[in-house]
Amino acid sequence: MKKLFYSLLLLSSATLFAQKNVSAKFAVAGDTVGTVDLFTNSYKNTIEGTRSYKSAAELPQNLKKFSFIADNGLVEYKLKKNQGALDKTTLSDLNNRYGLANGTPVFIDGYEFKNTNLTVFEEMLSKVEVNDSHGLKAISVTTKK
């Protein structure tokens, strides 16, 4: 009975955190995650080239680690050289800022980022909050303003 209870508890907490934003379209520049909106609105003068992928199956080997966020495709941006440093942070640093353990998964627009060594652009972190579901705390980020 305990196993059933804990299974339901785990499933309900995963469901609470995992409300994916179906309109979210992620982008990558180098190894840093952003959104298409971020690049087209804020970084359009820094873009040298783009490559769009319609599904996770199309991703080249170097982008396979981002397949979990490619539900709506993924855009790879190449930034111009000689650009000033763009503000970036690792998800583990974000966890530290909010008093959570480094390895705690972070949810961005409902997508679970388990690898907290990934780097994201600071500017895409519109709304950041710590959600608590049955004692499990995790950061939830909304990228739309």
Side-chain angles (χ1 to χ4, degrees):
M1 189 64 166
K2 282 185 181 180
K3 286 183 181 180
L4 179 63
F5 176 71
Y6 287 122
S7 296
L8 288 173
L9 184 66
L10 183 62
L11 180 63
S12 66
S13 66
T15 304
L16 177 67
F17 286 131
Q19 299 297 320
K20 289 184 180 178
N21 178 352
V22 293
S23 66
K25 181 132 183 184
F26 289 98
V28 176
D31 271 347
T32 305
V33 176
T35 61
V36 171
D37 289 342
L38 172 72
F39 284 98
T40 57
N41 294 331
S42 299
Y43 295 157
K44 61 185 166 195
N45 295 328
T46 65
I47 299 171
E48 184 175 300
T50 64
R51 176 96 198 259
S52 296
Y53 303 95
K54 294 183 186 212
S55 69
E58 291 182 10
L59 296 176
Q61 193 61 40
N62 66 316
L63 296 178
K64 290 284 186 195
K65 63 183 169 188
F66 299 112
S67 62
F68 70 100
I69 57 172
D71 288 349
N72 297 327
L74 187 72
V75 178
E76 180 181 25
Y77 287 98
K78 183 175 181 186
L79 301 179
K80 294 177 183 175
K81 297 182 192 296
N82 302 328
Q83 289 298 315
L86 302 174
D87 289 334
K88 305 172 191 177
T89 189
T90 63
L91 296 177
S92 61
D93 287 342
L94 188 62
N95 275 328
N96 285 335
R97 274 189 244 166
Y98 287 86
L100 299 176
N102 287 349
T104 304
V106 174
F107 292 85
I108 300 176
D109 286 338
Y111 289 83
E112 183 178 9
F113 286 69
K114 293 179 183 176
N115 179 358
T116 58
N117 292 321
L118 284 177
T119 306
V120 297
F121 289 101
E122 284 273 354
E123 195 171 331
M124 81 174 211
L125 308 175
S126 252
K127 181 180 176 187
V128 180
E129 57 189 14
V130 177
N131 289 332
D132 186 347
S133 175
H134 306 291
L136 301 173
K137 291 185 178 186
I139 291 177
S140 178
V141 174
T142 305
T143 60
K144 300 274 186 193
K145 292 182 180 176

